[in-house]
Amino acid sequence: METGIRINKYLSERGICSRREADRLLEEGRVRVNGKAAVQGQRVEAGDNIQIDGEHIAVRKSRETEPVVLAFNKPRGIVCTTVSQDDSVNIVDYINYKTRIFPIGRLDKDSEGLILLTNVGELVNEINRSRNHHEKEYVVTCSRKINDEFLHKMSEGVVIAVPARNTEKGFMRDGKLYKNVKTAKCEIKRIDDRTFSITLTQGLNRQIRRMCEACGYKVVKLKRIRIMNIRLKDLPEGRFRELSRNEIAELRSML
């Protein structure tokens, strides 16, 4: 009979990072258990020495901190991870919140706008499990004028190449495995000659940028302004606010 708890769940429940982030760290070989490289699916027990990037993790007891969910207006250049691999500033260090938090989902380094962060691992998992069903709204500016044909193509869905798992069929590009996926229909509204809003219910890798590229356009600015019932509104860039209990309750009811 197997004992212990899967390491990704262990890290999530203890407020270190989400399960998705833990899986990414495991794939990159950045997690060690008792001095050996950890693997996905590995189970850990009390007393195991767990390290991320050579640093022993400080485990938060579940009752030490009240649950919190933050809305943050991410500036360009900030990476949505709990640790940094290069000279980039990661979102957790940038906010420097009083308790350990981690992002729910991601925004590309070159993108800006609304992202949620929390110290509740299971909330991250709930939202990530439903990421292909809830709405996210963006404002996008292209490098040249947009036309009706472009807006129609985008709204009907376009075929884009996205990263594939090793177990999936696909094709190689620049040493990485990709697969072709047609995006789901979405709502698009013109704002001005080069700017439009788009509401997605998918969470594909760099989806909007890839969609625009497939239609012959380049994105020069991408800003997320809404996640489900949470809106960015007038929250200043680089600042955060704590969600109210009512907002969190409504968010959970929509999952």
Side-chain angles (χ1 to χ4, degrees), residues 7-23 25 30-31 50-53 55-62 64 81-83 90-92 99-103 117-122 124:
I7 189 167
N8 62 350
K9 184 177 181 182
Y10 175 88
L11 295 175
S12 171
E13 290 183 349
R14 283 152 182 80
I16 305 304
C17 60
S18 68
R19 291 191 196 183
R20 192 177 183 184
E21 176 76 359
D23 288 338
L25 294 173
R30 298 165 63 185
V31 183
I50 302 175
Q51 294 180 321
I52 299 177
D53 291 336
E55 295 185 10
H56 181 76
I57 61 172
V59 176
R60 172 184 63 81
K61 294 181 180 179
S62 60
E64 285 182 355
T81 59
T82 56
V83 292
N90 73 69
I91 193 170
V92 173
T99 60
R100 181 70 175 177
I101 54 173
F102 42 89
L117 300 98
T118 186
N119 61 353
V120 184
E122 286 310 305
V124 179

Side-chain angles (χ1 to χ4, degrees), residues 98-111:
K98 59 186 177 182
T99 60
R100 181 70 175 177
I101 54 173
F102 42 89
I104 304 176
R106 292 190 183 185
L107 265 180
D108 295 335
K109 181 179 179 180
D110 293 332
S111 300

Side-chain angles (χ1 to χ4, degrees), residues 69-74 95 113-117 230-232 235-236 239-243 247:
V69 184
L70 304 181
F72 175 56
N73 187 350
K74 185 189 90 69
I95 294 176
L114 180 63
I115 186 167
L116 304 180
L117 300 98
I230 311 301
R231 295 183 179 275
L232 186 63
L235 183 65
R239 301 291 295 273
F240 66 84
R241 69 174 181 86
E242 295 185 1
L243 299 191
E247 285 179 312

